[in-house]
Amino acid sequence: MSTDRNEAHRVVIVGGGFGGMAAAQALRRSGAQVTVIDRTNHNLFQPLLYQVATAALSTTDIALPIRSVFRRQPNIRVIMAVVRGIDRAAREVQLEDAPPVPYDTLVLATGSRYSWFGHDEWARFAPALKTSAGALDLRNRLLGAFERAELATDADSMRRLLTFVVIGAGPTGVELSGAIAELARYTLARDFRHIRPGDARIVLCDAGDRVLASFPERLSRYAARQLESMGIELRLGAPVETVDAGGVVAGGERIASECLFWAAGTEATPVARWLGIEGGRRGLVPVGPDCRLPDAPEIFVIGDAAQQAGANGKPLPGLGSVAKQQGRHVGRLIAERLAGRPGNAPFRYKDWGQLATIGRSSAVADFGWLRLTGFPAWVIWSAVHLLLLVNARSRAVVYVNWIWAWFTYGRGARVITAPRAQQTEKRQPA
Ligand SMILES: Cc1cc2nc3c(=O)[nH]c(=O)nc-3n(C[C@H](O)[C@H](O)[C@H](O)COP(=O)(O)OP(=O)(O)OC[C@H]3O[C@@H](n4cnc5c(N)ncnc54)[C@H](O)[C@@H]3O)c2cc1C
């Protein structure tokens, strides 16, 4: 830690997501000069991204400018830039198209990214849900498919355009397929004259043998029954073999579709490469009990980018709650060090349980000591997500939207933001 009393200690936080924001907030009164760097100008509440993709919410309902969060904290500076490396010897963060940023302490919280199992060429046909721009792209593809089906002149094209395939049956895949089913069966049901949106085919594929594999089996079985009752076709034990402009081959079966969504594996952002170290599982950065790099006490890695064992010895999951708690912990450790205390307490994850929603009034909740399904789980899911939203405005807007949608099945954000030419261009083979 820097000792010069006239010069504030420089903490650089890369990533303004769950982990990075929590770390910066914990450093509010530390006296450190904090710089938050993010490639976007906003903090994004990823758990509700699927609702942006399925036209229930607007991006602005779940994204907040990072600058506005720290408006009243003069010790926190925000930089919008893409980090492309770290010079550990010079203690500098290297940016694209901007001068490097020096640090005394570095917190890396750049999260994860989707992995197409080594087939990056699949990404253009089966995009994933990770960023605000990505959610709008998915929404354009989804709503655009109905528009194109309305103009189809033969039954095969219409069927292909009205077939939606979601790859990956974890919480995101389940939430996305449930929301697509509700959009097609209820919201759009009376909007078209030529097609019947309610006839849309929604297929959810996974290589594993159950949906929501991280939940107890009873809850997985409940979720599968609910999805099937919504008309969603499950293809379990069906690993994806090929993805192209005309569809997907999963478990040996070809499913013709022009609207595929990827919700399968994730991997770390390139933090290990920046640090010049060997990445662990899925490229994550192995860190010590206090979230520090073992050979560099001035560098912390938190959230989805880090690999850390929990109390049971198993790796901590890639969840917002883990990232947030780690961010808060690391911020406190840095503040303690600056105040002359040791600041090396190990991180202990407080596991509050897991939740996933399936559709209107239906969810699963696993708190370990209590497991709930159906409406009670859905009420808890809704309350928790509202509370976790970053500010009161977002909470109010999302709440009103949900109430409106619950009573009317309406989805107010049914806007296609790309002209039709662009939507089809993206799908053309390179
Ligand atoms: C669709 C979806 C649904 C989810 N649902 C849930 C849920 O219901 N519950 C739950 O607990 N978790 C959920 N998660 C997981 C949760 O969002 C993550 O675990 C959490 O966001 C991780 O926090 P983080 O701070 O590590 O990274 P993030 O929150 O992803 O933040 C990383 C930040 O780093 C920035 N960044 C990345 N690379 C660079 C770079 N090179 N230069 C500059 N900036 C960079 C990004 O722009 C981003 O702002 C979901 C995730 C997704 C994608």
Side-chain angles (χ1 to χ4, degrees):
M1 299 266 160
S2 75
T3 47
D4 187 341
R5 280 166 188 273
N6 297 319
E7 219 178 89
H9 185 89
R10 295 163 304 181
V11 180
V12 174
I13 299 173
V14 184
F18 278 96
M21 295 297 273
Q25 276 158 345
L27 286 163
R28 205 178 308 196
R29 293 187 193 88
S30 64
Q33 185 192 90
V34 181
T35 305
V36 178
I37 307 175
D38 201 292
R39 64 183 170 195
T40 71
N41 78 333
H42 53 270
N43 169 265
L44 185 66
F45 190 69
Q46 294 173 25
L48 291 181
L49 262 183
Y50 81 96
Q51 297 209 358
V52 174
T54 53
L57 295 175
S58 297
T59 324
T60 47
D61 300 341
I62 61 161
L64 189 69
I66 299 172
R67 277 182 202 291
S68 71
V69 178
F70 299 117
R71 186 185 294 152
R72 292 195 184 84
Q73 287 170 241
N75 69 320
I76 301 185
R77 178 185 175 214
V78 179
I79 295 179
M80 180 179 156
V82 177
V83 170
R84 63 172 174 80
I86 291 155
D87 184 337
R88 286 175 64 176
R91 296 202 174 179
E92 283 179 349
V93 175
Q94 296 164 331
L95 307 179
E96 259 175 41
D97 306 321
V101 182
Y103 64 83
D104 299 308
T105 298
L106 178 63
V107 180
L108 295 168
T110 47
S112 57
R113 58 186 180 188
Y114 276 94
S115 115
W116 281 261
F117 306 142
H119 290 278
D120 286 352
E121 71 279 9
W122 294 354
R124 63 187 313 192
F125 308 118
L129 199 53
K130 186 71 191 167
T131 60
S132 48
L136 291 181
D137 176 40
L138 257 62
R139 187 204 289 173
N140 287 338
R141 288 173 189 245
L142 180 60
L143 298 178
F146 287 99
E147 296 297 339
R148 285 160 59 213
E150 178 78 353
L151 294 174
T153 48
D154 64 281
D156 280 351
S157 312
M158 193 188 287
R159 186 160 173 74
R160 191 176 63 249
L161 285 162
L162 288 180
T163 299
F164 302 93
V165 182
V166 179
I167 302 158
T172 300
V174 165
E175 289 170 351
L176 196 54
S177 13
I180 296 173
E182 288 179 349
L183 176 78
R185 314 261 189 268
Y186 305 111
T187 314
L188 300 181
R190 282 178 296 178
D191 288 10
F192 289 85
R193 299 295 169 261
H194 181 50
I195 58 166
R196 290 207 314 216
D199 291 345
R201 185 177 172 216
I202 298 137
V203 186
L204 176 61
C205 311
D206 199 290
D209 59 1
R210 61 186 175 109
V211 303
L212 298 179
S214 64
F215 283 76
E217 269 196 69
R218 182 173 72 82
L219 300 190
S220 288
R221 280 199 301 276
Y222 170 84
R225 279 198 307 275
Q226 284 297 111
L227 290 164
E228 283 174 335
S229 74
M230 294 163 80
I232 295 164
E233 299 174 30
L234 299 182
R235 296 284 185 282
L236 300 174
V240 171
E241 292 151 36
T242 323
V243 174
D244 57 44
V248 57
V249 177
E253 179 194 5
R254 170 109 195 149
I255 307 168
S257 164
E258 291 195 19
C259 220
L260 313 170
F261 302 111
W262 190 263
T266 57
E267 62 186 10
T269 41
V271 178
R273 181 165 53 76
W274 295 345
L275 294 169
I277 60 168
E278 186 82 14
R281 198 176 48 95
R282 295 186 286 113
L284 305 185
V285 175
V287 292
D290 57 358
C291 306
R292 282 186 166 86
L293 261 198
D295 67 337
E298 77 284 7
I299 301 180
F300 295 87
V301 186
I302 57 172
D304 282 9
Q307 179 181 311
Q308 192 180 40
N312 57 6
K314 289 190 188 157
L316 291 174
L319 289 175
S321 47
V322 174
K324 216 168 169 171
Q325 289 179 34
Q326 283 177 330
R328 208 177 299 136
H329 182 77
V330 159
R332 284 186 193 143
L333 292 189
I334 298 170
E336 278 178 21
R337 277 268 174 122
L338 291 175
R341 296 198 294 277
N344 55 8
F347 170 69
R348 292 196 205 295
Y349 174 51
K350 178 102 186 89
D351 186 356
W352 296 103
Q354 49 179 345
L355 297 157
T357 180
I358 302 157
R360 187 183 147 90
S361 306
S362 168
V364 289
D366 172 26
F367 302 110
W369 56 279
L370 177 68
R371 287 171 185 160
L372 296 171
T373 56
F375 188 67
W378 182 79
V379 170
I380 294 175
W381 177 92
S382 308
V384 166
H385 282 72
L386 276 180
L387 285 174
L388 289 177
L389 277 164
V390 83
N391 69 355
R393 180 198 163 273
S394 300
R395 272 179 224 132
V397 173
V398 170
Y399 182 69
V400 169
N401 268 299
W402 284 355
I403 294 286
W404 181 259
W406 201 85
F407 284 107
T408 65
Y409 289 99
R411 283 171 184 260
R414 269 164 33 214
V415 177
I416 298 178
T417 54
R420 168 135 184 218
Q422 266 179 36
Q423 292 169 38
T424 33
E425 231 167 61
K426 284 200 170 178
R427 306 188 49 81
Q428 300 307 316

